[in-house]
Amino acid sequence: MFQSEAPRLIERRGFLFASGAALLGLAYGLYRMESVHAQPEAPLGPPQQVRIVEFTDDGERREIVSVLTIQKSEAAWRKQLSAAAFEVTRHAGTEFPFSGALLNVHDKGVFRCICCDTALFDSATKFDSETGWPSFWAPIAKENIVEATDNSLGMERTAVSCRRCGAHVGHVFDDGPQPTGLRYCMNAVAMRFAKAS
């Protein structure tokens, strides 16, 4: 082999490797989409009674109320939510970092569940974690969220969801600021911001 052919051979191998990887990624993505949507939807059980804390948009704590969980079919959630919000909240997806509209919102107000409007976070606990997702050092009320072990992606994390409708909102990590030392790393598409009046 001549010396001038070596770089072309390396370029050709790199191109073939990259093309093969892209095709594998596309095939996996199509398989995952088919497997998610091909499975029959599990029947909805009866709604459960849960206790949550009501808040005004000013962040003022009202009362603890007993409410029924909100359950809807996949089709009903799809109709209500944007495609991105549906994938995050109903299939535990993650939005791209630095893409969320709520990332730079620092006004006084409350971040509410996009699915059922339950108050999840107060803007007073929001901080810039430089991760690309809205981050908070505490939920507005522990009663309004559920934390559960998430073993996806080959690691153990703690997933955070809305207590009333089960919407996946994000994850909590132990690398946040004081006073809690926690970082509730949330997906912006899983919430709406209600500005204080």
Side-chain angles (χ1 to χ4, degrees):
M1 175 184 318
F2 295 105
Q3 217 171 5
S4 62
E5 290 179 6
R8 272 189 270 158
L9 182 60
I10 292 170
E11 286 175 15
R12 220 175 284 140
R13 282 186 187 154
F15 172 77
L16 290 173
F17 177 78
S19 298
L23 285 173
L24 280 173
L26 178 61
Y28 174 74
L30 291 173
Y31 164 77
R32 185 166 174 342
M33 280 175 39
E34 284 180 17
S35 67
V36 165
H37 300 296
Q39 296 174 3
E41 191 172 329
L44 298 174
Q48 304 296 311
Q49 204 80 24
V50 293
R51 293 167 59 82
I52 61 171
V53 183
E54 290 186 329
F55 287 86
T56 67
D57 291 344
D58 291 330
E60 182 184 331
R61 186 181 176 112
R62 292 295 182 156
E63 58 187 351
I64 296 178
V65 294
S66 186
V67 295
L68 291 174
T69 55
I70 295 175
Q71 299 177 330
K72 297 183 182 183
S73 67
E74 292 267 308
W77 284 124
R78 275 186 195 280
K79 189 173 180 182
Q80 175 183 333
L81 303 167
S82 70
F86 174 79
E87 286 304 318
V88 168
T89 60
R90 307 327 306 178
H91 290 160
T94 301
E95 68 191 1
F96 288 109
F98 300 100
S99 68
L102 301 180
L103 181 61
N104 295 312
V105 171
H106 299 290
D107 298 324
K108 180 175 172 49
V110 172
F111 293 82
R112 296 182 176 277
C113 175
I114 196 70
C115 296
C116 70
D117 222 35
T118 297
L120 300 176
F121 296 93
D122 189 311
S123 62
T125 64
K126 191 170 190 273
F127 70 98
D128 185 3
S129 64
E130 300 180 359
T131 60
W133 291 280
S135 299
F136 306 83
W137 48 261
I140 198 164
K142 278 284 196 179
E143 295 92 337
N144 293 9
I145 65 165
V146 174
E147 295 182 13
T149 301
D150 174 4
N151 290 313
S152 64
L153 303 179
M155 65 180 94
E156 186 175 303
R157 300 178 293 169
T158 302
V160 177
S161 58
C162 172
R163 184 170 305 278
R164 185 160 193 202
C165 70
H168 171 76
V169 189
H171 291 86
V172 61
F173 303 95
D174 61 2
D175 59 0
Q178 292 306 314
T180 64
L182 299 174
R183 173 173 55 96
Y184 285 83
C185 189
M186 303 294 104
N187 290 281
V189 294
M191 302 181 294
R192 78 167 183 89
F193 180 66
K195 191 173 181 177
S197 54

